[in-house]
Amino acid sequence: MEHLPLFISIEQRPCLVVGGGAVAARKARLLLSRGARLTLVAPELCPELEQQLPEFEWRQAEFDETHLQDHFLVVAATSSKEVNARVYQLANQRGILVNKADDSKRSAVIFPSVVERFPLQLALSTGGKAPWLARLLRARIDALLPSHWGALAEVAGRLRERVKNSFGSSEERRRFWARAQDDGTLNAYLKHGNLAAAERWLQQEAQLPSQGEVILVGAGPGDPELLTVKALNELQKADVVLYDQLVSDEIMALIRPEAELIPVGKKAGNHSVPQEQINQLLVDHALEGKRVVRLKGGDPFMFGRGAEELETLVEAGIRYQVVPGITAAAGATAYAGIPLTHRDHAQSAVFITGHCKKDGEEPDWASLANSRQTLVIYMGLMRSAHIQQRLMEHGLSGATPVALIERGTTQQQKLVRGTLNELGELATQVESPALMVIGSVTSLAGKLGWFQSQAEVETLLDRAV
């Protein structure tokens, strides 16, 4: 790194901008917003700078080295490369902090892209190499950062010592603020600018015993960019994460580094931890006052036994939240170019699981064998031959198009297509986790498919070579 990230106060410090055009106006506006005592040297001023007078002192002249005297920070922002270079050289010789506009190599100081929720500030920089990327990131973060977090930071600053005295450790304080950040009452006060009420609420909460909570989070089908913003926030606040085997490594890497990770299996045919034990782990950790994330692939309420886990929490009096995730039926089919419905192919879509309870009743195969609908089967790989047989016995044509999507939405995605009378054989070509889609909409994959897995990209590269 060529520059050390720092936040420096320039309030009431003498700063100089050399130049009178649009770039100088932009720099002047920034310095004035931070309270600088600004002087500007230029023969002429652009209209924007003229409107800002008398917020700064204007010296109507060509730059001279005497202008540098007693200044804390200098910005070279003229249209002349020669003048900018001279400003930089002279300021640098005198040990004055200097920024040469659009030239990070010759700047002791660079101005980052800033996302601001006063007093909260986030600064982004690429060291001057790709300003467009810093601006792109700023726009993304700006869209994600709640507008009231500045007010939260303001109130937190007022109560910092009181909260510190109320909790014996930094970990307890972190949990308190993580819990407070989510509270609807506090957020309502902050959004409406009622900081006094927010402060009273926090003071009351700080006196209460710490309470644990369980957040049931859907990790989506695999692509980390399909995580919801709320899911990502919860992963970064967790004390403990109980995660399924189907959660991708890329998503696991987003979890707060200090969080305790507990693998609990949950893959069809391979449950490393019994459901009853998972339920008890959730209760035990929450009773210790921890923020517990139960991380499941896809959506926790779509064949994920999420409701069963919540029932246990209700019985134990544990607080909980649910963060939905994109289910595989929506994510994997979209990446494979298979619409779940289409007016020329299917007017409805039905989701079922091929992994039923022991001694459970068979599905209503007669209603499932409908050629005008899309049938999506989770965890059906091991019963593919049985599914093929039962659907054909109930009238669904063996020529019905089918697709199997292995590891959908990830770089390891694999798509196998064929017809219903080949389903048992097709299933041997993929591995779990795989989604089974039956219906004429699967015939559109060749036309509408857009996502290229890593294997497909490597194949194209090999052909190019």
Side-chain angles (χ1 to χ4, degrees), residues 339-350 364-376 391-392 394-402 420 437-443:
L340 291 173
T341 61
H342 189 291
R343 63 179 181 177
D344 296 330
H345 296 268
Q347 285 69 53
S348 62
V350 178
D364 182 359
W365 292 109
S367 65
L368 297 178
N370 182 343
S371 62
R372 299 297 296 174
Q373 72 182 10
T374 303
L375 179 60
V376 182
L391 288 174
M392 292 177 65
H394 285 80
L396 191 60
S397 169
T400 302
V402 301
L420 180 59
V437 188
I438 301 174
S440 66
V441 290
T442 64
S443 64

Side-chain angles (χ1 to χ4, degrees), residues 52-81:
Q52 287 183 281
L53 284 171
E55 294 179 45
F56 58 86
E57 178 187 350
W58 177 30
R59 296 184 182 179
Q60 189 174 9
E62 297 288 350
F63 169 74
D64 184 271
E65 61 183 293
T66 59
H67 293 137
L68 296 174
Q69 186 173 351
D70 297 328
H71 281 99
F72 175 74
L73 170 66
V74 175
V75 178
T78 75
S79 58
S80 168
K81 292 183 179 180

Side-chain angles (χ1 to χ4, degrees), residues 213-463:
E213 185 174 10
V214 174
I215 300 92
L216 195 59
V217 175
D223 184 345
E225 291 191 342
L226 293 181
L227 273 178
T228 64
V229 174
K230 187 171 180 61
L232 179 60
N233 287 338
E234 293 300 339
L235 293 183
Q236 296 176 347
K237 292 186 294 185
D239 297 312
V240 182
V241 178
L242 280 70
Y243 65 96
D244 287 350
Q245 188 173 344
L246 295 179
V247 178
S248 68
D249 292 341
E250 293 84 357
I251 291 175
M252 293 298 297
L254 299 173
I255 297 172
R256 189 174 77 93
E258 297 81 6
E260 178 183 357
L261 303 180
I262 303 176
V264 292
K266 301 292 289 176
K267 183 177 179 181
N270 180 21
H271 289 197
S272 63
V273 180
Q275 185 64 53
E276 294 74 16
Q277 187 176 341
I278 295 173
N279 296 348
Q280 192 59 49
L281 284 169
L282 294 174
V283 171
D284 291 345
H285 283 288
L287 289 176
E288 293 175 3
K290 297 176 181 177
R291 191 176 189 88
V292 184
V293 166
R294 175 68 177 99
L295 186 59
K296 293 173 170 285
D299 179 84
F301 281 177
M302 185 65 75
F303 307 121
R305 302 184 74 172
E308 297 175 41
E309 295 173 359
L310 293 190
E311 287 172 342
T312 300
L313 299 176
V314 170
E315 293 170 3
I318 304 295
R319 297 194 310 180
Y320 63 87
Q321 300 179 47
V322 180
V323 181
I326 294 177
T327 186
T333 55
Y335 274 51
I338 299 173
L340 291 173
T341 61
H342 189 291
R343 63 179 181 177
D344 296 330
H345 296 268
Q347 285 69 53
S348 62
V350 178
F351 305 162
I352 69 168
T353 174
H355 185 67
C356 303
K357 276 186 173 182
K358 292 181 180 179
D359 303 322
E361 292 184 1
E362 283 276 303
D364 182 359
W365 292 109
S367 65
L368 297 178
N370 182 343
S371 62
R372 299 297 296 174
Q373 72 182 10
T374 303
L375 179 60
V376 182
I377 305 176
Y378 291 72
M379 297 171 285
L381 209 56
M382 292 186 296
R383 302 188 72 213
S384 56
H386 177 73
I387 293 169
Q388 171 187 330
Q389 177 186 353
R390 298 298 283 161
L391 288 174
M392 292 177 65
E393 285 177 353
H394 285 80
L396 191 60
S397 169
T400 302
V402 301
L404 296 172
I405 310 169
E406 176 185 325
R407 298 187 179 277
T409 78
T410 73
Q411 288 300 320
Q412 292 75 43
Q413 175 173 302
K414 180 181 179 181
L415 175 65
V416 174
R417 292 191 292 146
T419 56
L420 180 59
N421 57 15
E422 303 171 318
L423 183 57
E425 179 185 347
L426 294 174
T428 65
Q429 301 176 34
V430 297
E431 297 179 356
S432 181
L435 191 73
M436 186 179 296
V437 188
I438 301 174
S440 66
V441 290
T442 64
S443 64
L444 297 172
K447 179 181 180 181
L448 303 181
W450 59 273
F451 177 73
Q452 288 187 324
S453 68
Q454 187 62 42
E456 292 171 321
V457 171
E458 289 175 357
T459 300
L460 291 172
L461 290 174
D462 288 342
R463 289 175 181 172

Side-chain angles (χ1 to χ4, degrees), residues 38-176:
L38 183 63
T39 299
L40 193 142
V41 174
E44 297 179 352
L45 299 181
C46 67
E48 182 179 347
L49 284 170
E50 287 181 347
Q51 291 176 3
Q52 287 183 281
L53 284 171
E55 294 179 45
F56 58 86
E57 178 187 350
W58 177 30
R59 296 184 182 179
Q60 189 174 9
E62 297 288 350
F63 169 74
D64 184 271
E65 61 183 293
T66 59
H67 293 137
L68 296 174
Q69 186 173 351
D70 297 328
H71 281 99
F72 175 74
L73 170 66
V74 175
V75 178
T78 75
S79 58
S80 168
K81 292 183 179 180
E82 292 76 16
V83 173
N84 288 344
R86 185 161 173 259
V87 172
Y88 167 78
Q89 182 182 23
L90 293 171
N92 200 43
Q93 289 173 351
R94 288 162 174 75
I96 301 173
L97 295 176
V98 59
N99 169 261
K100 187 179 175 188
D102 298 324
D103 190 353
S104 62
K105 291 289 185 182
R106 293 176 176 81
S107 292
V109 175
I110 57 176
F111 294 109
S113 291
V114 177
V115 179
E116 190 168 40
R117 303 284 188 274
F118 185 82
L120 175 64
Q121 294 186 84
L122 301 178
L124 300 165
S125 173
T126 61
K129 293 179 172 57
W132 63 269
L133 181 57
R135 289 193 293 270
L136 175 63
L137 290 172
R138 178 186 63 187
R140 289 191 179 185
I141 294 173
D142 194 43
L144 295 176
L145 199 64
S147 60
H148 63 277
W149 272 19
L152 176 60
E154 183 70 34
V155 175
R158 297 178 189 176
L159 298 179
R160 185 175 181 182
E161 287 303 315
R162 294 186 187 181
V163 171
K164 186 176 181 179
N165 294 332
S166 297
F167 298 98
S169 69
S170 60
E171 185 63 19
E172 289 177 316
R173 292 193 291 274
R174 188 196 63 78
R175 291 176 187 169
F176 168 74

